[in-house]
Amino acid sequence: MYKTAVLIISTRKELSIKYKKLIEGLKQDVFISNDLSESLSIIQKHEVEFIIISDTIKEKLSSFIKKIRVLTYSSRPIIIAVSKSNDLEDRLEALEVGADDFLGEEISKKEFQMRFRAHLRRYIESSINPITRLFDKNITLKAIKKTLEYKKYASYLLIKIKDIDLYRKTHGEIAYEKVLQTLSAIINSTLSDDDYSGHITDDEFIIITNSIQAEKIASFLTFAFDNILNKFYSATEYNNNFIIQSSDNIQEKRNNLMRLNIAAIAKDNNTKNYIDVINELNELIKLCSKADNSTYVIDRIRLNGVVTEQKRKNKVLILELDSSLSYLLKSVCELNNIEAQIAQNEKDFNNLYENFKPNVVILDWGEKRKSDFIKLAQKISKDNIKLIFSSSFLNKKEILKAGADLYMPKPYEIDDMLSWIEKFLEK
């Protein structure tokens, strides 16, 4: 649930309190001011979305509205003028200088609430994503700021759909929108009235909840997404657990199915602003990148200290049946400051694999030893080591299914192979 900020500007205390109670009855946040300087301070601090201006202020109502409209041009709040005057010229003048509505003081409490609710509805509807019916980025950033300002305890969840761009490219816009609609429905089904959900990008979401519920929500969302994943793919794609985009004679990186990645952090004394929240979530969610299934990570304890520098990935192990090609690959790697080792056979490979601890493995797909190489591929895949399969037998589906991260048909350009090695070493 998102609460807008409403500012009431009036010098009559009883009038301000009357309107405040009516608006708080609609579950919105209300602030009161009686002069321009204080009003501008409140508007800036709380990013006010509605301003109710009474003609009890010291200067002419239309002049005051004009000043407020000019000074809030970038945020464009909805301005409602309230006056005891029934003169048509006063109404028209207020509307002409920037008021969005003009109400008489004699208006009943019920009508006042209904008119305000109509403006609130239009504001909310204009801030809703048309595909998911969740709040847009602007409202999401405001919601984060509000919790940082007013709530002592809060948790923030960042939700990303891994490989959603590939799905959009291969399955089209309608299928892509269906994924977003389904996920938004699942998100809404998990939240209470006090929680918030909205976009941070077109296909990334933020949930704001309490610390107790954060992990329960993350756990349910990842479980639910994996259990409805088959609805978005053909039976072949789902059973293979990857997508093939081109024919066997074209190299192709393994294109995995979509997965849900979620990062969650709790507000603490180190959280200064919404930028800190977004940056911390984006850093944390990187820990989910290697998981095969939908997964989440919770930042439970933050420790201050020195972080040791991560060692650069720089090792390549080669098992290539063509000895001249294997030595060429090794030489090219070493010329580019990449440490490379050649395995002569499967036994030699196993020894080097355990002791050398490679970051990337290059295997030659041979039909005669196919079953042996499939076992090797499955072991490498489980260890989260990047695997490149080169082959002259053009069997892309079987190779990718065995666990390869990249299928490269022979003959290939050495520069092309080097480019892929360097890409995998960077990850």
Side-chain angles (χ1 to χ4, degrees), residues 1-5 26-29 46-50 120 123-124 127 135 138-144 146 193-197 208:
M1 179 179 173
Y2 178 74
K3 292 183 179 181
T4 61
L26 299 174
K27 297 183 178 179
Q28 307 303 306
D29 293 323
H46 301 287
E47 297 196 46
V48 169
E49 289 111 330
F50 291 86
L120 178 62
Y123 176 78
I124 294 298
S127 304
F135 288 111
N138 290 334
I139 297 295
T140 296
L141 295 180
K142 285 184 178 182
I144 296 173
K146 287 175 188 287
D193 290 342
D194 293 329
D195 296 332
Y196 171 89
S197 61
I208 303 175

Side-chain angles (χ1 to χ4, degrees), residues 231-250:
K231 305 295 183 184
F232 305 122
Y233 293 98
S234 67
T236 301
E237 289 173 333
Y238 184 74
N239 291 330
N240 287 337
N241 201 29
F242 60 83
I243 302 171
I244 293 178
Q245 299 185 81
S246 54
S247 60
D248 281 352
N249 61 346
I250 298 175

Side-chain angles (χ1 to χ4, degrees), residues 36 40 43 65-75 77:
L36 182 60
L40 291 176
I43 290 167
I65 292 171
K66 189 174 182 179
K67 288 180 184 177
I68 290 290
R69 179 56 73 205
V70 170
L71 294 170
T72 61
Y73 179 78
S74 58
S75 58

Side-chain angles (χ1 to χ4, degrees), residues 294-329:
S294 294
T295 189
Y296 65 90
V297 57
I298 308 289
D299 187 10
R300 302 182 190 280
I301 302 173
R302 303 180 196 184
L303 299 176
N304 293 322
V306 178
V307 179
T308 56
E309 185 178 352
Q310 188 175 7
K311 194 173 180 181
R312 178 174 175 259
K313 294 179 180 179
N314 197 39
K315 295 182 179 181
V316 177
L317 179 56
I318 304 163
L319 179 52
E320 167 60 57
L321 300 180
D322 184 335
S323 59
S324 60
L325 179 56
S326 64
Y327 280 106
L328 178 59
L329 285 169

Side-chain angles (χ1 to χ4, degrees), residues 6-52:
V6 182
L7 172 61
I8 299 170
I9 306 174
S10 172
T11 57
R12 275 171 52 197
K13 189 175 181 181
E14 66 275 14
L15 192 67
S16 299
I17 293 173
K18 171 188 171 183
Y19 293 147
K20 184 176 187 290
K21 287 181 177 179
L22 291 173
I23 295 169
E24 285 179 338
L26 299 174
K27 297 183 178 179
Q28 307 303 306
D29 293 323
V30 184
F31 305 91
I32 295 175
S33 173
N34 57 20
D35 62 57
L36 182 60
S37 177
E38 185 184 17
S39 297
L40 291 176
S41 177
I42 293 172
I43 290 167
Q44 185 176 18
K45 181 179 179 180
H46 301 287
E47 297 196 46
V48 169
E49 289 111 330
F50 291 86
I51 303 174
I52 298 173

Side-chain angles (χ1 to χ4, degrees), residues 35 53 74 176 215 261 288 297 330 346 407:
D35 62 57
I53 306 174
S74 58
Y176 164 79
E215 185 163 3
N261 289 347
C288 301
V297 57
K330 184 176 187 293
E346 188 180 343
Y407 160 83

Side-chain angles (χ1 to χ4, degrees), residues 23-271:
I23 295 169
E24 285 179 338
L26 299 174
K27 297 183 178 179
Q28 307 303 306
D29 293 323
V30 184
F31 305 91
I32 295 175
S33 173
N34 57 20
D35 62 57
L36 182 60
S37 177
E38 185 184 17
S39 297
L40 291 176
S41 177
I42 293 172
I43 290 167
Q44 185 176 18
K45 181 179 179 180
H46 301 287
E47 297 196 46
V48 169
E49 289 111 330
F50 291 86
I51 303 174
I52 298 173
I53 306 174
S54 165
D55 66 354
T56 59
I57 53 175
K58 294 178 182 179
E59 61 183 286
K60 188 178 179 183
L61 181 60
S62 58
S63 299
F64 192 89
I65 292 171
K66 189 174 182 179
K67 288 180 184 177
I68 290 290
R69 179 56 73 205
V70 170
L71 294 170
T72 61
Y73 179 78
S74 58
S75 58
R76 187 56 176 84
I78 295 169
I79 295 177
I80 301 173
V82 181
S83 174
K84 55 184 174 293
S85 171
N86 288 317
D87 186 75
L88 179 60
E89 288 300 319
D90 290 341
R91 292 171 178 265
L92 295 177
E93 191 175 3
L95 294 170
E96 187 175 5
V97 296
D100 296 285
D101 200 358
F102 189 103
L103 307 178
E105 276 191 22
E106 74 283 356
I107 190 171
S108 69
K109 293 179 180 180
K110 189 170 183 179
E111 185 180 353
F112 178 89
Q113 279 190 319
M114 293 305 293
R115 282 180 173 272
F116 180 83
R117 185 177 286 172
H119 286 291
L120 178 62
R121 183 174 62 249
R122 281 191 289 273
Y123 176 78
I124 294 298
E125 288 174 352
S126 68
S127 304
I128 291 289
N129 182 287
I131 297 170
T132 62
R133 308 304 298 167
L134 297 179
F135 288 111
D136 62 19
K137 179 181 178 180
N138 290 334
I139 297 295
T140 296
L141 295 180
K142 285 184 178 182
I144 296 173
K145 293 176 188 176
K146 287 175 188 287
T147 56
L148 291 173
E149 180 73 23
Y150 304 123
K151 286 194 175 183
K152 188 174 182 180
Y153 302 105
S155 286
Y156 308 93
L157 285 77
L158 172 62
I159 302 169
K160 291 188 178 185
I161 310 172
K162 187 180 177 183
D163 295 315
I164 184 70
D165 291 336
L166 173 65
Y167 183 84
R168 187 178 191 175
K169 179 182 176 182
T170 55
H171 290 75
E173 202 68 22
I174 295 175
Y176 164 79
E177 291 179 1
K178 194 68 178 176
V179 173
L180 297 183
Q181 288 168 353
T182 303
L183 179 56
S184 67
I186 297 172
I187 289 172
N188 279 332
S189 72
T190 67
L191 305 183
S192 67
D193 290 342
D194 293 329
D195 296 332
Y196 171 89
S197 61
H199 287 260
I200 194 66
T201 69
D202 287 343
D203 46 36
E204 296 176 1
F205 309 89
I206 292 283
I207 289 176
I208 303 175
T209 185
N210 61 67
S211 300
I212 297 172
Q213 290 296 113
E215 185 163 3
K216 293 178 181 178
I217 292 171
S219 177
F220 175 76
L221 290 177
T222 51
F223 169 79
F225 190 82
D226 280 353
N227 276 273
I228 53 95
L229 196 61
N230 63 322
K231 305 295 183 184
F232 305 122
Y233 293 98
S234 67
T236 301
E237 289 173 333
Y238 184 74
N239 291 330
N240 287 337
N241 201 29
F242 60 83
I243 302 171
I244 293 178
Q245 299 185 81
S246 54
S247 60
D248 281 352
N249 61 346
I250 298 175
Q251 72 178 41
E252 186 168 342
K253 181 177 177 289
R254 180 185 172 93
N255 299 303
N256 296 315
L257 305 187
M258 294 179 292
R259 297 297 180 187
L260 206 63
N261 289 347
I262 302 176
I265 63 171
K267 174 188 172 183
D268 64 13
N269 295 331
N270 296 320
T271 311

